[in-house]
């Protein structure tokens, strides 16, 4: 019954969003789709500026956001004005926002990548000097920590996906994500998932460990020991 209910909810969501959205979602060149609080929806395609997609009545926009939140197993209110997770239709990352954080309901959807670049692609495009490519490959081979930081849309996930491709297949991999963005997660031995997983059966959740980021330090130490058993060299927790 739960599966049938979820199927009906997803179909209702498709109807609310309409064909313009669904077509943009299926477009391989689409990277972002966002619904503004005024009901205006835009999308961006690789190499092009944002373009107008559709305008929704405010009540419809509100229904869309609430429907998505419900499918994520969450609800929005005056005290819970934003949440993120995996878009129910295709698993892309989505962030929802709601009043009073904004003047109306809206969301930002980052479509899953369809192509994984390589370091050679970066070098060929002039984005990365050859010496830095060799350095990164060396760091990965030595299992060194690499911190990737940057603003929204700067390419952090793209670079992480790229770097993960150089991890030998013989290595055991653990990913920690609040929404599955990394392609390598498909091949991970375990994924530490920060958040709920509505709509997934226990069997489907068998490769995940739920991690509440608000856990006390003692509980975090437990997870550190647990993950250490999966051959992760070091997992450090900053002072709270």
């Amino acid at each position: 019954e739960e599966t049938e209910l979820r199927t009906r909810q997803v179909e209702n969501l498709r109807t609310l969003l309409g064909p313009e959205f669904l077509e943009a979602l299926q477009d391989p060149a689409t990277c972002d789709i966002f619904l503004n609080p005024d009901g205006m929806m835009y999308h961006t395609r690789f190499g092009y500026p944002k373009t107008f997609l559709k305008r929704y009545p405010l009540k419809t926009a509100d229904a869309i956001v609430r429907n998505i939140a419900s499918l994520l197993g969450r609800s929005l209110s005056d005290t819970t004005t934003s949440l993120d997770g995996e878009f129910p239709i295709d698993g892309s990352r989505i962030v929802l926002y709601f009043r009073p954080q904004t003047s109306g309901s809206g969301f930002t959807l980052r479509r899953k990548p369809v192509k994984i670049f390589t370091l050679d692609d970066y070098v060929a495009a002039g984005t990365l000097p050859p010496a830095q490519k060799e350095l990164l490959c060396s760091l990965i081979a030595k299992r060194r920590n690499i911190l990737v930081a940057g603003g929204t849309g700067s390419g952090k996930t793209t670079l992480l996906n790229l770097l993960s491709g150089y991890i030998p297949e013989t290595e055991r991999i653990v990913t920690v994500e609040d929404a599955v963005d990394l392609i390598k997660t498909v091949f991970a031995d375990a994924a530490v998932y920060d958040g709920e997983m509505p709509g997934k059966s226990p069997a489907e959740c068998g490769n995940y460990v739920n991690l509440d980021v608000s856990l006390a330090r003692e509980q975090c130490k437990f997870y550190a020991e647990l993950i250490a058993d999966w051959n992760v060299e070091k997992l450090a927790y900053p002072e709270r």
Side-chain angles (χ1 to χ4, degrees):
E1 292 184 3
E2 289 185 7
T3 301
E4 292 180 0
L5 175 61
R6 183 175 178 83
T7 299
R8 289 197 298 269
Q9 287 180 307
V10 171
E11 288 305 312
N12 182 49
L13 177 60
R14 288 177 177 271
T15 301
L16 288 171
L17 288 166
E20 298 90 347
F21 172 88
L22 297 175
E23 183 178 344
L25 185 67
Q26 295 171 358
D27 183 353
T30 294
C31 51
D32 298 282
I33 303 176
F34 44 98
L35 174 63
N36 287 341
D38 60 1
M40 303 287 281
M41 178 177 283
Y42 300 86
H43 84 308
T44 56
R45 303 173 75 245
F46 290 109
Y48 296 91
K50 72 175 184 180
T51 57
F52 172 76
L53 199 60
K54 185 176 182 178
R55 181 167 189 169
Y56 295 90
L58 297 184
K59 287 186 178 180
T60 301
D62 188 74
I64 289 171
V65 170
R66 288 183 180 276
N67 190 305
I68 297 172
S70 176
L71 284 164
L72 293 176
R74 307 282 292 280
S75 61
L76 292 165
S77 65
D78 291 344
T79 56
T80 305
T81 58
S82 67
L83 63 91
D84 64 354
E86 295 178 33
F87 187 53
I89 292 178
D90 74 337
S92 294
R93 180 164 189 166
I94 190 167
V95 178
L96 307 176
Y97 45 85
F98 188 70
R99 298 180 301 272
Q101 177 176 320
T102 58
S103 59
S105 301
F107 66 74
T108 299
L109 181 146
R110 173 65 55 83
R111 191 171 179 275
K112 280 183 173 293
V114 294
K115 177 182 179 180
I116 302 301
F117 296 95
T118 67
L119 288 176
D120 288 330
D121 292 329
Y122 273 39
V123 171
T127 304
L128 188 73
Q132 288 189 8
K133 172 199 168 183
E134 298 304 323
L135 173 62
L136 288 171
C137 289
S138 174
L139 293 174
I140 294 171
K142 295 177 181 178
R143 303 178 72 183
R144 301 293 188 183
N145 291 334
I146 299 176
L147 174 65
V148 178
T152 301
S154 60
K156 299 183 296 297
T157 301
T158 299
L159 180 58
L160 280 172
N161 272 319
L162 180 157
L163 294 175
S164 69
Y166 290 84
I167 300 174
E169 294 297 330
T170 54
E171 293 285 352
R172 176 167 266 182
I173 300 170
V174 176
T175 65
V176 182
E177 304 179 68
D178 55 3
V180 178
D181 278 335
L182 300 177
I183 298 299
K184 199 71 175 180
T185 298
V186 176
F187 308 103
D189 293 277
V192 180
Y193 184 87
D194 167 21
E196 301 175 7
M197 301 186 70
K200 293 185 181 295
S201 68
E204 291 173 313
C205 296
N207 213 29
Y208 289 80
V209 176
N210 285 316
L211 174 62
D212 183 346
V213 294
S214 65
L215 289 173
R217 169 174 289 277
E218 289 72 23
Q219 292 173 294
C220 285
K221 286 181 179 178
F222 163 76
Y223 280 103
E225 294 171 1
L226 175 65
I227 296 174
D229 288 339
W230 292 333
N231 297 330
V232 174
E233 289 185 329
K234 184 178 180 181
L235 184 63
Y237 292 89
E239 293 295 328
R240 293 180 182 273

